[in-house]
Amino acid sequence: YEYILIMEQYGEQLEEDAMINFWLLKVCPLEVRIGYNEGKKLSNYHEQAFMHKLEEEKRDFESDVSSYKFEFDQLKQFADYSKVSEYAKVSENLGNSFDNAKLKLKDFNRREEIFGITPTVYENLDKLIEEFAPYRKLWDTGFYFDSHRETWQVSPLVKLNYKKIVQEVEKYKKNTVSLIRKFEEDENLNAIKVCGQMKDEIAKFETNFVIIEHLTKDAMVKKPNNWKSLFAQIQIKSVQQQDTLQSLLQLNILERVDDIEEFVTRAEREYTLDQKLTKDILEKLKYIKLDLLAHPIANSWILNSVDDLQSNLDEFLNSVLMMKQSPYIAPIKKKLEDVEKKLIGIDDMLVE
């Protein structure tokens, strides 16, 4: 009320709604106090309900953490790599539980901060998550290696990427070695046993590298006739676009590794020569430009200069000569001789 008087004294007029609100504060103080007290009671009620719910959730949370510890203790007893898919699922579920627990704890702390409560710290949970990390890595590594191995074995061999497979396997080997060191420090014999089994499985798969490496080379993939010739030579029935590592292993292809290596080495060198002929001569010939001038009298064109063209021809003929001396020239010998005749013909024309 005094504020209104002061405003009027200095010639300021309040808006009608403001005047009404100030007047109600003067004439209805009891109602205001009653409303305030009722609001405070309602606020206290909701705060108590909120805190009760929070405490109830925290008790459930502690119970969950205890169950996670029990599950983790069971996980540490797993010692059979052949059950990797089953155990990896258990590990994944436990990992998800720990991830959700961290999010729930973060939510607890946020709600505690709202009411000025000291944030709850669960050191047991932090310790569990830290101890669980290498086991999670163990079963993740085993699961992904097992999955990739299955894919590599049943996919068409010609579609495999040898270099990427080697890189993936090397990654799994490094993980296994680091895990063995970790579990040796913790003296967990079960985990060490699993690592040893996984290491053996990786080494066993690596014996197939020689087959994957040779049969995925360009000379075999891009030259179907080479594939047919090889399998006819080693007397194994094969359909290039359908054969898998698994199907070839069942036909005892590893027993013919020496024959395969010898054939593919020769085929790769022949293929390299063919590519050299194509890229170093035939492709370059397409883009040679002639410097032409209009003939001053005849309705025709004449070469302005042959120096660059002659230089290119000399380079091509030298390349042809070197290729002809290769012991792997047989498959492209006729093709190379045809190119050589054309180059010599052009060279003779320039000399004339």
Side-chain angles (χ1 to χ4, degrees):
Y1 176 71
E2 291 178 356
Y3 176 72
I4 296 175
L5 295 178
I6 293 172
M7 294 291 289
E8 290 180 347
Q9 181 180 348
Y10 288 95
E12 296 290 339
Q13 295 294 323
L14 292 177
E15 295 180 0
E16 183 177 353
D17 289 344
M19 287 289 291
I20 293 173
N21 288 332
F22 276 120
W23 179 252
L24 289 174
L25 287 174
K26 175 176 175 59
V27 299
C28 306
L30 180 60
E31 286 81 354
V32 172
R33 287 196 295 273
I34 292 173
Y36 169 77
N37 290 333
E38 288 180 349
K40 189 173 182 180
K41 288 179 182 178
L42 184 62
S43 174
N44 289 338
Y45 170 78
H46 284 297
E47 181 178 342
Q48 290 174 6
F50 180 91
M51 293 302 298
H52 176 74
K53 186 174 185 299
L54 177 60
E55 290 302 319
E56 191 175 66
E57 289 182 18
K58 286 163 70 174
R59 285 193 296 272
D60 292 340
F61 180 75
E62 290 171 359
S63 176
D64 289 341
V65 172
S66 296
S67 68
Y68 301 155
K69 184 181 184 308
F70 176 76
E71 292 175 27
F72 180 39
D73 288 339
Q74 286 186 314
L75 180 68
K76 287 192 285 188
Q77 301 305 313
F78 295 164
D80 186 357
Y81 180 78
S82 66
K83 297 181 179 180
V84 61
S85 296
E86 175 187 344
Y87 293 162
K89 187 64 177 178
V90 174
S91 174
E92 180 186 13
N93 291 339
L94 183 55
N96 291 337
S97 295
F98 281 134
D99 292 340
N100 291 332
K102 288 191 291 185
L103 293 176
K104 185 169 289 188
L105 179 57
K106 186 176 181 180
D107 179 61
F108 288 164
N109 293 158
R110 180 184 61 80
R111 288 151 70 184
E112 289 167 335
E113 184 179 356
I114 292 174
F115 288 92
I117 302 172
T118 302
T120 303
V121 177
Y122 288 89
E123 294 181 356
N124 290 343
L125 176 62
D126 293 336
K127 185 179 179 182
L128 271 177
I129 293 174
E130 182 180 355
E131 291 178 357
F132 171 67
Y135 292 89
R136 189 176 198 173
K137 184 177 180 180
L138 168 63
W139 293 110
D140 280 354
T141 299
F143 175 79
Y144 286 117
F145 167 68
D146 204 57
S147 299
H148 278 143
R149 177 176 58 178
E150 178 69 17
T151 300
W152 297 329
Q153 288 179 329
V154 300
S155 299
L157 193 61
V158 292
K159 296 185 181 299
L160 298 183
N161 186 314
Y162 172 69
K163 290 184 178 179
K164 286 187 177 180
I165 291 175
V166 171
Q167 290 174 355
E168 286 293 320
V169 172
E170 282 299 316
K171 181 180 70 176
Y172 296 134
K173 285 171 65 176
K174 289 180 180 178
N175 285 351
T176 304
V177 171
S178 66
L179 286 168
I180 288 175
R181 286 198 296 264
K182 172 61 180 173
F183 292 130
E184 284 177 344
E185 292 174 3
D186 298 341
E187 298 182 348
N188 188 310
L189 299 181
N190 290 325
I192 294 172
K193 181 181 179 181
V194 172
C195 287
Q197 293 169 347
M198 180 162 59
K199 188 177 179 181
D200 291 342
E201 290 296 318
I202 293 174
K204 182 180 178 181
F205 180 75
E206 285 182 310
T207 61
N208 303 315
F209 276 5
V210 63
I211 299 298
I212 301 173
E213 178 185 13
H214 284 94
L215 295 186
T216 57
K217 286 186 178 295
D218 286 347
M220 302 303 295
V221 175
K222 297 181 179 180
K223 296 286 186 179
N225 286 336
N226 283 338
W227 186 283
K228 292 178 182 178
S229 298
L230 168 63
F231 281 89
Q233 178 181 315
I234 62 177
Q235 298 180 340
I236 291 180
K237 292 183 179 180
S238 169
V239 180
Q240 184 183 27
Q241 299 302 321
Q242 298 178 10
D243 282 338
T244 66
L245 177 62
Q246 186 177 72
S247 66
L248 292 176
L249 289 175
Q250 290 172 349
L251 296 173
N252 301 317
I253 195 170
L254 285 174
E255 295 178 0
R256 308 306 301 271
V257 165
D258 291 341
D259 295 328
I260 292 171
E261 186 171 4
E262 180 182 351
F263 181 95
V264 174
T265 298
R266 184 181 68 254
E268 189 70 8
R269 290 174 181 172
E270 292 171 350
Y271 177 78
T272 300
L273 275 177
D274 190 13
Q275 290 299 104
K276 183 176 178 62
L277 173 59
T278 300
K279 293 180 180 179
D280 290 359
I281 299 179
L282 299 180
E283 289 296 327
K284 289 183 179 180
L285 277 171
K286 295 179 182 179
Y287 299 100
I288 289 180
K289 296 181 179 180
L290 300 179
D291 186 11
L292 301 176
L293 291 175
H295 194 279
I297 299 175
N299 186 23
S300 62
W301 298 87
I302 59 174
L303 285 171
N304 181 38
S305 172
V306 298
D307 292 343
D308 290 343
L309 179 57
Q310 187 66 61
S311 176
N312 285 325
L313 286 172
D314 291 342
E315 180 183 339
F316 295 154
L317 286 168
N318 286 333
S319 295
V320 169
L321 182 61
M322 292 179 64
M323 288 187 216
K324 289 176 68 176
Q325 295 172 354
S326 171
Y328 304 100
I329 196 61
I332 63 168
K333 184 177 180 181
K334 186 178 184 309
K335 180 179 178 182
L336 184 63
E337 288 174 345
D338 290 342
V339 171
E340 183 181 31
K341 288 179 183 179
K342 291 179 182 179
L343 292 174
I344 292 174
I346 296 172
D347 186 57
D348 290 343
M349 182 180 65
L350 291 178
V351 172
E352 294 175 1

